[in-house]
Amino acid sequence: MLPRPVTIRPPDLLIKAVSDGRRLGLQLLAVPGVSRPLANYDAWWSGARRMWLLQTTDSSYADDVIKHAFAGHFVDMEQLDVQLRAAVAAPDPDYFTQLLDVQIFPLVKGDLTRGSWAVSFTYDPLCVKAMRSLGGYFHKHASAWQVRADPELVMERLASIAGVSSEFVFVHEQPVVIEELTTSGNEGSPISVPAASPPLGGGGGPGEEEGTGFLSTEHGHVDDMPYDRVALASLVACGVLRDYQAEGVAHMLRQSGACMGDDMGLGKSRQTVVASRMAAGSGRVLIVCPASLRLNWEREIKMVYPDARVGMIGEDRISTLAGCDWVIGNYERMGGLVRESELEFAVMAVDEAHYLKEYKSGRTRNVFLLAARIERCFVVTGTPLLNREIEMHTLLRITGHRLGSLTLAEFRKSYAGSPEKRAALAAAIQGWMIRRSKDVLKDLGDKARQFVPLSPEGLHVYKEIYRDMTLQAMPKIVRLRKCLEGLKVPYLVETVQAMGEDDKLIIFCEYMSTVEALKQALASLGVGCVSLVGSDSLKRRQAAVDAFQGDASIKVFIGTTMAAGVGITLTAANIVAFASMPWTPALMRQAEDRAYRLGQIRDVLVLVPIIQGTIDEGVLQLQENKHTTEIEVVEAAKKALPVQQRAAVETVPDEAREEVLALEYA
């Protein structure tokens, strides 16, 4: 007897439909290739609701759009019309508009001929229509509209045209600066590949004029601020701080805004925690950092202040955060905090502050807005300058330094482009940035970098990609680098096999495929390893670090440079290898110094395999070019702390010694 035939029913196409009386939102089954057809019908994607939106209340029109877009796909559309009509019949007025993040800013300084207010929101055609009704001028880098109307009129148009209730509009009291973005000029690159021409088009659409302004803020800077020298010296006597760390804390405490720019592995977090608490007194401290470093900061705070009440943005309610004396949040969460003006902070510390080098990014704007209303702001980074001098302007403005009040154009004209201008910049930031090298760690071994020339088999694949003229420049470079990483896997495996019994190795990759290839190769050899990539959770991330640090059987740590190159300590390793060199010397140093830092008791060897005759050589040259700029600015400003300030922390006052004795006998 033959088995009964199996009938496969197509899945339902429409999962959910919602109307707000102006827009119709469609949560649809994920089908490859339908984004373009939907966009052709002027549909747009709402990331907040995970829906495609149409500017319509006509269920029949939406029905036609969906059927045309999904024609020929194996999906069930039988109940489509019923679901659409039901959504239109019962609108939810605020369903979409409450998540548009509409903000209105008063403008100062800059070209105000087009208006003295700026309006920003998550893309929405109806909000765009409202701005155009006011004669608004769009600044693409700020993702904001400059308008001549006051907030009352703006909110009236948003309500009448886009259906945005005033309760979902946040009007800032702190004025922002609108400023034209300046370019860095056409600097030649040592990396060049034959490639297809870039596609035509892009920009603001036909006939649409777009501005290049961005939004930032300015605030003042105070020098020679008092601080408790006895309390600081007590922390040295107790062993909480080393002498040089106390010097760094004093540097930060003496001014309202400063840069903690110590080399990697010298305890910038510890210094920042102490300086922030001493500066804040009983006030609240905000720590802004990459998401992967939130637990690191909580640990550091608890190590110095065990009774600290620490809250996490995104995990704790605002009411809970109000009861905390420390609040930690990642860059992506700052947008919501900007609106919580009643949650006051005495100090803000921004970790890995080089993430703010792009003025036009949302994270940079949010930090600007927070800094404007927080009295004291510290920026923390071991790489204050990654590519070019102008990147430092962001940090100077956030902390209130006088150079930050210059426009980008003025700053670039005076302090970028030549050794003489970079020398002037280095002189100007002395006293603002403190930067010490690892020579302050007397018990730290040496670090040696070794470039290893390779001529592996399989280069014909690289050459085929190189000659492919259908690829544009950047996609081609990505494919070439990915290919080179794969060709280096045998060398990296051989390096593992050649390690001594007590050796441990960190391998940094740029691509997930290389991480997986290495894991498989080492597993087949029975070599214990752990990995860390960007998609790993905080718990998995910490488990990998702890295993590598504490388990003698785990010999290799494999991670992507973006995920594992900052914020973690891997001092169990004495060898570091790069499957690909990062684009800047600062990022490379950040990564290799996961091993070469406070707590390392052995010499560290850094291996950099270079495949000759490839873009590896161009990346190396690019690094050398950028290193010259870094040397002339950052390294030249190392001795930022005047000699007279150091005496305050080199000796322990009698009062401090008495306090330590009291603690010991308590």
Side-chain angles (χ1 to χ4, degrees):
M1 185 176 178
L2 295 174
R4 296 177 62 183
V6 177
T7 303
I8 302 177
R9 183 181 178 275
D12 292 333
L13 172 60
L14 183 59
I15 301 171
K16 183 179 181 180
V18 179
S19 173
D20 68 351
R22 290 179 171 83
R23 306 162 186 83
L24 184 58
L26 310 167
Q27 187 177 356
L28 301 166
L29 182 72
V31 176
V34 298
S35 296
R36 185 177 294 275
L38 287 169
N40 289 338
Y41 287 98
D42 296 325
W44 71 98
W45 177 252
S46 169
R49 290 301 188 185
R50 309 297 296 173
M51 284 181 164
W52 283 96
L53 271 63
L54 289 167
Q55 186 181 329
T56 186
T57 57
D58 185 345
S59 61
S60 299
Y61 173 75
D63 185 82
D64 290 341
V65 169
I66 297 173
K67 287 178 178 177
H68 279 95
F70 287 84
H73 292 281
F74 187 67
V75 292
D76 187 350
M77 303 187 194
E78 283 188 13
Q79 296 298 312
L80 190 60
D81 183 55
V82 175
Q83 292 171 281
L84 293 173
R85 283 191 282 110
V88 171
D92 185 345
D94 300 324
Y95 189 79
F96 302 109
T97 56
Q98 62 181 304
L99 299 179
L100 289 178
D101 190 26
V102 184
Q103 301 183 49
I104 303 176
F105 308 86
L107 297 177
V108 295
K109 194 176 178 179
D111 183 6
L112 303 182
T113 59
R114 297 180 182 271
S116 55
W117 294 89
V119 186
S120 72
F121 45 81
T122 303
Y123 175 73
D124 179 81
L126 288 170
C127 289
V128 170
K129 185 178 179 180
M131 296 302 101
R132 286 174 175 161
S133 75
L134 296 169
Y137 183 69
F138 184 65
H139 292 276
K140 59 182 178 180
H141 298 308
S143 295
W145 292 79
Q146 187 176 4
V147 296
R148 293 187 177 94
D150 59 23
E152 288 74 20
L153 181 56
V154 171
M155 287 191 286
E156 187 276 322
R157 293 295 175 87
L158 286 169
S160 62
I161 297 175
V164 181
S165 172
S166 60
E167 65 180 299
F168 303 124
V169 180
F170 186 81
V171 182
H172 291 264
E173 296 181 0
Q174 179 67 42
V176 301
V177 176
I178 188 161
E179 185 178 330
E180 292 299 307
L181 192 70
T182 183
T183 62
S184 57
N186 294 322
E187 301 175 2
S189 171
I191 302 175
S192 178
V193 297
S197 302
L200 299 175
E208 277 295 321
E209 185 185 4
E210 292 183 345
T212 58
F214 64 91
L215 302 181
S216 66
T217 55
E218 292 182 358
H219 58 103
H221 187 270
V222 181
D223 295 312
D224 298 322
M225 299 183 72
Y227 64 94
D228 192 336
R229 289 175 168 81
V230 173
L232 182 57
S234 300
L235 293 173
V236 177
C238 293
V240 174
L241 296 173
R242 295 193 175 198
D243 290 342
Y244 76 87
Q245 292 176 326
E247 179 182 314
V249 173
H251 167 82
M252 299 169 77
L253 290 174
R254 286 180 61 87
Q255 49 195 317
S256 58
C259 176
M260 167 47 64
D262 277 353
D263 204 357
M264 279 67 71
L266 297 184
K268 293 188 293 294
S269 300
R270 175 64 57 89
Q271 297 175 72
T272 304
V273 165
V274 173
S276 298
R277 176 46 56 208
M278 292 184 67
S282 59
R284 190 178 295 110
V285 177
L286 172 63
I287 302 291
V288 184
C289 63
S292 60
L293 303 184
R294 290 178 299 167
L295 292 182
N296 296 45
W297 275 98
E298 184 178 21
R299 286 187 176 188
E300 195 66 49
I301 293 167
K302 291 286 189 178
M303 287 178 67
V304 183
Y305 305 104
D307 298 327
R309 294 166 296 171
V310 182
M312 293 281 184
I313 298 174
E315 297 180 11
D316 298 314
R317 297 178 178 272
I318 294 297
S319 57
T320 302
L321 298 178
C324 297
D325 43 24
W326 295 85
V327 174
I328 302 172
N330 54 291
Y331 284 105
E332 292 72 23
R333 295 282 188 180
M334 291 302 105
L337 195 62
V338 166
R339 292 170 169 265
E340 300 295 337
S341 55
E342 295 183 3
L343 190 64
E344 297 182 349
F345 297 95
V347 175
M348 177 171 68
V350 184
D351 189 27
E352 305 295 349
H354 55 273
Y355 281 30
L356 304 177
K357 63 186 179 73
E358 294 291 343
Y359 271 95
K360 60 186 180 182
S361 71
R363 67 173 61 161
T364 303
R365 187 180 76 174
N366 289 333
V367 171
F368 272 135
L369 293 171
L370 289 168
R373 68 180 193 230
I374 298 175
E375 184 177 354
R376 304 188 70 169
C377 180
F378 305 130
V379 291
V380 185
T381 173
T383 53
L385 194 154
L386 288 175
N387 296 290
R388 52 186 66 89
E389 307 91 332
I390 205 166
E391 296 169 357
M392 193 168 283
H393 186 258
T394 311
L395 309 186
L396 291 163
R397 180 169 285 187
I398 288 170
T399 55
H401 191 278
R402 62 178 181 81
L403 294 190
S405 64
L406 300 175
T407 66
L408 271 177
E410 293 169 339
F411 182 88
R412 185 168 181 264
K413 183 179 180 181
S414 300
Y415 297 107
S418 70
E420 294 76 20
K421 292 179 179 181
R422 288 190 282 270
L425 176 58
I429 63 176
Q430 287 188 355
W432 169 78
M433 182 182 73
I434 187 167
R435 181 171 178 84
R436 280 77 55 88
S437 300
K438 289 192 176 64
D439 53 13
V440 300
L441 299 177
K442 305 304 181 185
D443 52 351
L444 188 66
D446 295 327
K447 180 176 71 172
R449 187 181 288 173
Q450 181 179 334
F451 293 94
V452 184
L454 301 180
S455 298
E457 296 181 358
L459 273 174
H460 64 280
V461 178
Y462 173 91
K463 293 175 181 178
E464 288 175 5
I465 299 171
Y466 189 86
R467 290 192 297 262
D468 186 352
M469 292 302 294
T470 66
L471 295 172
Q472 295 174 37
M474 285 310 300
K476 176 177 284 194
I477 289 173
V478 169
R479 289 188 63 178
L480 289 172
R481 280 172 55 90
K482 191 174 183 178
C483 176
L484 292 176
E485 277 204 356
L487 295 175
K488 294 171 188 175
V489 168
Y491 164 78
L492 295 168
V493 173
E494 290 172 2
T495 301
V496 174
Q497 293 176 304
M499 291 194 311
E501 186 178 346
D502 296 329
D503 292 335
K504 284 199 175 191
L505 169 67
I506 307 169
I507 302 176
F508 288 108
C509 311
E510 296 298 313
Y511 304 99
M512 286 282 296
S513 57
T514 317
V515 175
E516 291 302 317
L518 285 166
K519 287 170 63 177
Q520 292 177 18
L522 296 180
S524 66
L525 296 172
V527 177
C529 70
V530 292
S531 64
L532 176 56
V533 297
S535 59
D536 290 339
S537 65
L538 290 178
K539 185 177 291 185
R540 185 170 180 177
R541 175 188 179 93
Q542 194 59 53
V545 172
D546 292 343
F548 184 74
Q549 288 287 92
D551 189 342
S553 67
I554 304 297
K555 294 292 187 180
V556 183
F557 188 103
I558 310 168
T560 56
T561 308
M562 289 297 294
V566 298
I568 58 176
T569 295
L570 300 172
T571 48
N574 61 315
I575 308 172
V576 180
F578 288 90
S580 289
M581 286 179 290
W583 290 110
T584 70
L587 290 177
M588 188 166 179
R589 194 169 60 252
Q590 277 265 29
E592 64 193 26
D593 283 2
R594 299 308 97 201
Y596 190 64
R597 60 196 299 110
L598 188 65
Q600 179 61 264
I601 59 176
R602 297 186 288 176
D603 294 343
V604 173
L605 173 64
V606 180
L607 300 173
V608 188
I610 303 290
I611 298 180
Q612 297 173 301
T614 70
I615 62 170
D616 269 358
E617 295 174 334
V619 177
L620 181 60
Q621 183 59 56
L622 185 68
Q623 281 216 9
E624 291 175 357
N625 295 347
K626 292 179 178 180
H627 186 56
T628 300
T629 300
E630 187 182 25
I631 289 284
E632 291 174 348
V633 177
V634 179
E635 299 303 310
K638 270 185 179 179
K639 297 181 180 179
L641 197 64
V643 175
Q644 61 268 27
Q645 292 184 26
R646 300 176 188 175
V649 294
E650 286 178 350
T651 59
V652 181
D654 291 338
E655 303 96 310
R657 296 186 186 278
E658 293 172 4
E659 184 177 331
V660 173
L661 288 172
L663 289 171
E664 289 177 349
Y665 285 102

